[in-house]
Amino acid sequence: MTPGRFEGRVAAVIGGGSGMGAAISRRLGSEGAHVYVADLNESSATGVAEEIGGEGGKATARFLDAVQISELKDLYDEIEAEHGVLHVLHHQVGIPGPGGIDVSESDWQETIDVNMKSPFYASTLAFDLLKRANKKGSITLTASTSALVGSPFSPIYSLTKGALTAYVRSLALLGAPDGIRVNVICPGSVDTPMLPTFFGREPGADIEDLKSGFISEFIPLGRAAQPEEIAGVIAFLASDDASFVTGTTIPVDGGIVAK
């Protein structure tokens, strides 16, 4: 942790109310950023913002349905009115999607909306504010190791997360003249409330048994990540320490994709 690394900067964390998003919000706040904690669960966002404030940081809680373009615009309008600039944007929102290939059209659309539409509009609508960051703008997105290695459980999850790795390369080129850097991380198993949902797609599944089996077989470091470990990588990518890093895909997976 580097106290003051984001002093005087403004950050928005889309999906910042729980799990990895909450850890990222707290980390950016602890290093001096004024963090907009935006989440579909307003009480969770408020709780995280209060934690940041209780530690001497600055944060604003904001209800946000991240698939609604009008609500994303409202968030950025608020940030513009209050600060006139955005330095750090992190998008955390995502869902596992249905398992297998027998996917209803409604489930397909929901997965596309959450995992692809939301990060696309969250990042593109923020561009004007990030351009004002004196070439210190950073966008980070969260994909998954399933973007890099095939998921035998959910092809649609691999489809939607894999798209983000190509997207950041394109957006990084677009943002480079204005100093806006764009990167994506690919976490493996992370110890959050969402983790069991990746193993519980089939009725009657023994989630704990499936989870422990996956960890022991597939993760060389032999454990799931802690949310704070993901937050440390995002804080690095958003900081001046990563000022020459853009268009990259970074696994944060305990060695899964190295196998």
Side-chain angles (χ1 to χ4, degrees):
M1 190 177 300
T2 308
R5 187 160 54 167
F6 296 105
E7 196 66 42
R9 301 190 189 184
V10 181
V13 180
I14 311 298
S18 65
M20 287 181 273
I24 291 163
S25 296
R26 290 191 292 264
R27 179 64 179 264
L28 295 174
S30 72
E31 295 194 24
H34 184 128
V35 184
Y36 282 76
V37 184
D39 202 279
L40 187 62
N41 187 324
E42 188 172 13
S43 63
S44 294
T46 299
V48 172
E50 288 176 348
E51 285 183 60
I52 294 170
E55 294 294 323
K58 302 176 289 294
T60 301
R62 184 70 152 67
F63 169 80
L64 177 72
D65 184 344
V67 301
Q68 299 299 323
I69 295 171
S70 61
E71 295 191 19
L72 288 166
K73 288 180 177 178
D74 288 345
L75 171 65
Y76 296 140
D77 285 346
E78 181 179 332
I79 293 172
E80 179 176 28
E82 295 182 355
H83 300 279
V85 64
L86 180 65
H87 299 85
V88 178
L89 171 65
H90 176 71
H91 185 281
Q92 185 62 43
V93 175
I95 57 174
I101 57 174
D102 185 13
V103 178
S104 70
E105 188 173 355
S106 61
D107 284 344
W108 185 91
Q109 190 62 60
E110 180 187 24
T111 309
I112 295 295
D113 284 349
V114 175
N115 289 357
M116 292 174 63
K117 174 187 174 183
S118 179
F120 175 84
Y121 282 104
S123 52
T124 55
L125 292 173
F127 242 60
D128 283 344
L129 281 173
L130 289 159
K131 285 180 180 179
R132 304 176 192 176
N134 194 27
K135 295 189 179 294
K136 295 183 182 296
S138 168
I139 296 172
T140 47
L141 307 178
T142 299
S144 165
T145 52
S146 293
L148 303 174
V149 296
S151 167
F153 309 110
S154 178
I156 192 173
Y157 186 67
S158 283
L159 166 70
T160 57
K161 291 301 188 177
L164 297 183
T165 65
Y167 175 58
V168 299
R169 293 195 296 271
S170 179
L171 200 63
L173 297 177
L174 182 67
D178 293 298
I180 300 172
R181 297 179 300 101
V182 189
N183 297 287
V184 60
I185 63 165
C186 291
S189 296
V190 183
D191 190 11
T192 71
M194 193 176 186
L195 181 58
T197 66
F198 289 91
F199 299 95
R201 291 183 173 99
E202 299 299 326
D206 187 330
I207 294 173
E208 287 303 318
D209 185 58
L210 289 171
K211 186 171 71 171
S212 62
F214 178 88
I215 289 171
S216 62
E217 181 176 357
F218 291 105
I219 303 179
L221 287 183
R223 63 176 178 85
Q226 294 301 308
E228 291 74 19
E229 293 176 298
I230 307 302
V233 177
I234 294 299
F236 162 71
L237 288 172
S239 75
D240 293 346
D241 292 332
S243 58
F244 211 57
V245 180
T246 193
T248 63
T249 297
I250 300 179
V252 191
D253 64 352
I256 291 174
V257 302
K259 295 178 69 175

